[in-house]
Each structure stands twice: as C-alpha cells, then as structure tokens.
Amino acid sequence: MTILIDVILPVFLIIGFGYLVTWRKMLDESAIDGVMRFAQNFAVPVLLFANIARLDLSGNFNALMWLAFYTGAFLSYFTGWFVARRYLGRSPEDAVAIGFCCLFSNSLLLGIPIMERAYGAEAIAGNLAIISIHSPLLYTFGITMMEFTRARELNLSLGRVVSRALRGVLRTPLVIGIFCGLVMNLLLSLGLVLPAGFWAAADMMAGAALPTALFGLGGVLYRYRPEGDGKAIALCCACSLVLHPVLTFTLGKLFALPTGAIRSAVITASMAPGVNAYLFASMYGRAKRVAASTVLISTALSIFTIWFWIAVLP
C-alpha cells in the first residue's frame, strides 16, 4: 500500500487534477491543447535534450536491456495486429493502428516520474537509454508499416514509402530533442564546455515538462470516452499492460540483466500506451475510437499493473 500512496498516487493525482479541471470547464479544450503543445513540442524535448546530453551513454548502454524491452514491444505489436486482422476482422490499416496501441508505451510521461519516485533520480538512466531510441524506432516502424499497407492500394514505390516514413519521424519534436541531445553528448565528450547559465535555463524548462505533461494528459483523457469496440480495446490493454511487461521480464531474467536494467525495462514496458497511440491513429484516421478508449482505460488500469511490478521487482 505504501508503494501505491507514495509512488503511484502523486503521478495520477496530477493527471486527475487535469481531468477534473477540464471536466468542470475551468479550462476549455483549446487551453488544454495549448498546455499539451507546450509540453510535447517544447518542454519535454528540452527535458530529453538536457538528460541525454549529460547521460553517460557508455555506462548506461545495455544491448540486452534494449533487446528484452523491444522484443517484447514488437511481439506485442504483431500479436495485436494478427488478432485484429484474423479474429476481429478489422481492415489492414485498422490492424496496424491497433498494433501500434499494443506497441507504444508511455515511456516518458508516466515511465520517468514513476521510476523516479519508486527508485530515485539516479535510477532513470536506464529509462533514458530506452527512450533515446523509443520514439525514433517505434514511430519509424509504425509509419513504415502503415505506409506499406497503404502502398498496396495507392501503388506507391518503395522509395516513396521510405521517404514518407522518414519525413514523418524526423519532424517529431521528441525525436528532434533526442537527436540534439545525442549530438550535444558527443560534443561534450570531445571537450565542449557550455556556461552554467545554459544548463540552468535548460533545467528550468525541463522542470516544467513532467507536471505540465501529466496535467495536460488528464485534460486530454477527458475527451476519450469509451465507445464500442470492446474486444479491440481489451486486446490493446492486454498486450500493452500484460504481454509486453511479462515478455520483457522473462527475457530480462533469461539474459541475467542487472537489477537496475531489468527495473527500467519492465517498468517502462508496463506503462499504458499514452496519447501517442491516439495521435498515430488520428494521423491516418484509422481505429481512432479504439485508440482513444484504450488510452483512457489502460491508463486507469495501469495503476494496478504498475503497483504489481514495483512490488515484484527487487
């Protein structure tokens, strides 16, 4: 119970506050959209930049941790995609969007604050290592799968599909923040010294990222009322909240990962899909109701699955 009250509850209270404020019309939808745009397009990219720029990549790089996490993620995607296509009778494009819901963990807005509160600020190094390729890799994969699926109907060439996928990924602010952080990390390792004021400004901006994003997430979740598609929603929740962390935990034990690495991988894998799953579905106009309802329901259910994994992990 201490884990629930001290670690998980504060994060979800901020989300709940954003939900309450939106529900009671204290802020309208355009204001909430502005909060989320600030968080996702500016504050969170700066947070990623500042942390990755100063991260000891050689000390926190663990290929087996990446393998455990991303094998679980891709197996969750293909499970969701296959069941949606074969047993639920969804269209090929819908199946890709549903698979993306099973694939994309809310590694940043939920994973980082939960990990930090549970194990301390130094414990998020493994999470940042996962996040450093999370958006670029999974967005590239998801966009490529969707573009290849659509290419069959539009008769697009392979080069056109790859070009569209890369443009979509490289324009994402989170990816830009990650890439800039990696470049800065390299420059710092080569001897570049920046004034303390630069890092103070970056840290001030980064400090606003998580509470703002969590508050905005609560406001956005208010719009996502569960509507129909019960089997598809249950499929996405099961893959993202159960299958992915179980696979990651099993592989982590098989690979004999260090305690810190297995914590970071499993906690990140146990996160709900997050708003990005809905944004992906909305981008293509496919399975939007499934994605929206999954974001809301899985975020609520993740209170209990996160509680379970924090209790299980050493």
Side-chain angles (χ1 to χ4, degrees):
M1 186 62 71
T2 302
I3 295 172
L4 177 64
I5 295 174
D6 293 344
V7 176
I8 301 172
L9 187 60
V11 173
F12 283 90
L13 280 176
I14 298 175
I15 296 173
F17 185 41
Y19 190 100
L20 176 66
V21 165
T22 308
W23 171 44
R24 301 308 300 170
K25 309 299 183 187
M26 298 178 195
L27 287 177
D28 58 26
E29 291 190 359
S30 63
I32 292 297
D33 287 338
V35 170
M36 284 303 290
R37 279 196 296 272
F38 166 75
Q40 290 190 311
N41 294 345
F42 303 101
V44 172
V46 170
L47 171 69
L48 290 172
F49 165 79
N51 280 278
I52 292 175
R54 293 174 290 187
L55 181 66
D56 180 7
L57 293 176
S58 60
N60 292 288
F61 174 79
N62 188 319
L64 291 178
M65 178 182 69
W66 276 358
L67 184 60
F69 177 84
Y70 287 107
T71 298
F74 287 119
L75 287 175
S76 295
Y77 169 86
F78 284 111
T79 299
W81 173 83
F82 177 78
V83 173
R85 189 79 184 97
R86 182 71 178 271
Y87 296 102
L88 300 185
R90 305 297 296 234
S91 70
E93 292 88 349
D94 278 7
V96 173
I98 289 170
F100 195 83
C101 285
C102 303
L103 170 76
F104 203 99
S105 303
N106 196 344
S107 58
L108 186 61
L109 303 190
L110 285 182
I112 291 292
I114 290 292
M115 192 72 182
E116 187 172 2
R117 293 196 62 81
Y119 301 110
E122 69 282 353
I124 68 171
N127 295 58
L128 291 171
I130 292 173
I131 290 170
S132 67
I133 64 169
H134 190 259
S135 290
L137 177 63
L138 299 190
Y139 263 117
T140 300
F141 175 79
I143 292 172
T144 301
M145 291 296 294
M146 184 65 83
E147 293 296 344
F148 269 114
T149 301
R150 299 175 73 195
R152 295 179 179 178
E153 300 176 2
L154 302 175
N155 295 318
L156 296 178
S157 66
L158 176 61
R160 183 78 178 276
V161 171
V162 172
S163 175
R164 290 174 64 164
L166 287 176
R167 283 202 308 270
V169 172
L170 294 176
R171 290 176 179 173
T172 305
L174 298 180
V175 175
I176 294 171
I178 290 168
F179 284 160
C180 289
L182 292 172
V183 171
M184 181 60 71
N185 190 288
L186 175 62
L187 293 175
L188 293 174
S189 69
L190 294 175
L192 176 67
V193 177
L194 292 175
F198 174 85
W199 294 113
D203 289 338
M204 288 174 66
M205 190 76 165
L210 293 179
T212 304
L214 291 171
F215 178 87
L217 176 61
V220 171
L221 287 177
Y222 174 72
R223 306 175 194 171
Y224 297 163
R225 320 293 173 77
E227 295 179 32
D229 297 310
K231 292 181 180 179
I233 296 167
L235 169 66
C236 293
C237 290
C239 286
S240 61
L241 297 181
V242 180
L243 182 61
H244 187 184
V246 167
L247 289 171
T248 301
F249 179 77
T250 303
L251 290 171
K253 288 295 186 181
L254 182 64
F255 298 154
L257 288 178
T259 298
I262 198 169
R263 280 176 181 167
S264 292
V266 174
I267 293 298
T268 305
S270 68
M271 295 299 123
V275 175
N276 282 315
Y278 174 75
L279 295 177
F280 181 84
S282 181
M283 187 190 330
Y284 290 102
R286 296 290 180 172
K288 291 171 62 177
R289 290 196 310 173
V290 174
S293 297
T294 296
V295 169
L296 178 60
I297 295 171
S298 63
T299 299
L301 292 177
S302 68
I303 295 174
F304 305 102
T305 57
I306 294 167
W307 186 8
F308 169 81
W309 284 113
I310 291 177
V312 166
L313 293 169

